[in-house]
Amino acid sequence: MTGFDRFLMVDWSGGNDAGPRPRKDAIWIGATGPAGEAQPVYQRNRQVAEETLADVIETSLTRGERLCIGFDFPFGYPAGYAEALTGQADALSVWRWLAARVEDAPTENNRFDLAGEINTRLLQGRGPFWGNALKRDIPGLPRNKAGYDNPFPDRRACELRGTGTFTCWQLAGAGAVGSQVIMGLPVLERLRQRFAGQVSVWPFEPLDRPVAFVEIWPGLINDAVRRATGPDDIRDAVQVRLLARALSDLPPQRLQAMLSVEAPEEGWILGLGAEGELMVSLAA
């Protein structure tokens, strides 16, 4: 059962509160639904975004709708990491582990310190995480790849197929998706628990519940985003709007095919390998 009534695409952020004025490199939500396409919504921090997402989920459940929510950060780590960290070769065990340990407030969080602790526990402080954006040094967390060590793959299988993807081990600097993962997975885990029995996580669980969380990557429609982004537009807002449209325009059987993947530990990017199909409706 994979037909959806509503699509929400979320451009995430691992940083601190971005302020009241809409800006780039913050959280943006694009949506389509029975009433058509909505204007992207700016979220200044993760706390606001979590409540916004909870409200949308609650509303969709009340209406009896099926809801697909896409997040632009990896749902799993490269093979071997989950078992090394949690003792279980299960991506969702990492979600639970992080949710129990990540401390997050609008203006500060412990992601760099936690990464340093993980590095020290797994590799005596040589990896797998690297990148520290703070002025103070973090025990166990290299500022760059100098002296870096990593027994795990640098990238997941899906990232090896996606041109322009970044490694989830990088926590600071351009393309540092690693911070988004550490700060995003606890939010998703809390929403799973808040709506227990109502949320499926793709591709780790059957999509037989009203709400589906899926991993997305706007880079799949990069050309369309580039064409649609004007000089006064915020690219983050444009890409979530277009990706929500592209997925909602797919025939149900094609979406079903895209969701039919086997990636039990690492996760997968929805639409990878079908970029041309996603672009069809955006070219109109």
Side-chain angles (χ1 to χ4, degrees):
M1 182 172 62
T2 55
F4 295 101
D5 303 294
R6 190 177 301 276
F7 290 83
L8 256 67
M9 299 295 115
V10 185
D11 188 301
W12 201 248
S13 172
N16 292 335
D17 186 282
R21 183 176 180 179
R23 48 159 288 185
K24 66 178 184 177
D25 298 328
I27 299 173
W28 286 88
I29 301 176
T32 62
E37 185 175 292
Q39 286 297 313
V41 178
Y42 170 73
Q43 308 284 273
R44 61 182 295 171
N45 58 50
R46 287 177 294 277
Q47 290 72 29
V48 172
E50 183 171 344
E51 289 309 308
T52 296
L53 292 168
D55 288 345
V56 174
I57 293 171
E58 185 68 51
T59 298
S60 290
L61 291 175
T62 300
R63 293 174 177 172
E65 296 175 341
R66 296 205 73 232
L67 171 65
C68 177
I69 309 181
F71 298 88
D72 73 333
F73 56 82
F75 281 10
Y77 284 89
Y81 177 73
E83 185 169 12
L85 182 70
T86 72
Q88 304 175 62
D90 169 20
L92 295 181
S93 71
V94 178
W95 291 35
R96 293 187 291 270
W97 194 96
L98 288 173
R101 293 165 176 82
V102 167
E103 300 170 4
D104 192 13
T107 58
E108 61 181 354
N109 61 74
N110 69 335
R111 69 186 188 275
F112 296 113
D113 292 287
L114 184 59
E117 292 173 14
I118 294 172
N119 283 358
T120 299
R121 171 181 169 182
L122 297 182
L123 289 172
Q124 294 77 53
R126 300 190 305 277
F129 293 103
W130 62 274
N132 174 13
L134 303 182
K135 292 181 179 180
R136 61 181 174 87
D137 290 336
I138 303 292
L141 182 64
R143 287 194 177 272
N144 51 49
K145 279 193 168 184
Y148 175 73
D149 191 10
N150 190 359
F152 311 109
D154 192 54
R155 297 171 188 268
R156 301 176 297 159
C158 61
E159 290 156 354
L160 294 175
R161 291 181 52 182
T163 303
T165 59
F166 291 85
T167 174
C168 60
W169 307 122
Q170 180 185 350
L171 301 184
V177 71
S179 284
Q180 295 185 8
V181 181
I182 291 178
M183 303 311 300
L185 293 182
V187 174
L188 271 58
E189 177 62 18
R190 286 193 295 272
L191 289 171
R192 287 181 70 227
Q193 298 305 320
R194 187 167 177 171
F195 298 98
Q198 303 296 316
V199 177
S200 297
V201 179
W202 177 83
F204 311 127
E205 300 176 319
L207 296 178
D208 55 2
R209 296 171 180 171
V211 181
F213 289 171
V214 303
E215 180 184 335
I216 58 170
W217 181 45
L220 296 180
I221 58 168
N222 191 50
D223 289 344
V225 173
R226 187 183 299 111
R227 289 194 302 269
T229 303
D232 297 324
D233 293 328
I234 295 175
R235 180 185 173 89
D236 305 328
V238 174
Q239 63 189 15
V240 291
R241 174 175 60 83
L242 293 184
L243 191 52
R245 181 197 301 173
L247 290 173
S248 64
D249 283 350
L250 285 173
Q253 65 271 20
R254 284 305 302 141
L255 182 58
Q256 168 76 51
M258 291 180 188
L259 290 165
S260 299
V261 301
E262 290 288 336
E265 182 179 347
E266 293 190 336
W268 199 257
I269 297 167
L270 179 59
L272 183 64
E275 291 87 341
E277 292 179 67
L278 292 174
M279 296 281 284
V280 168
S281 66
L282 304 180

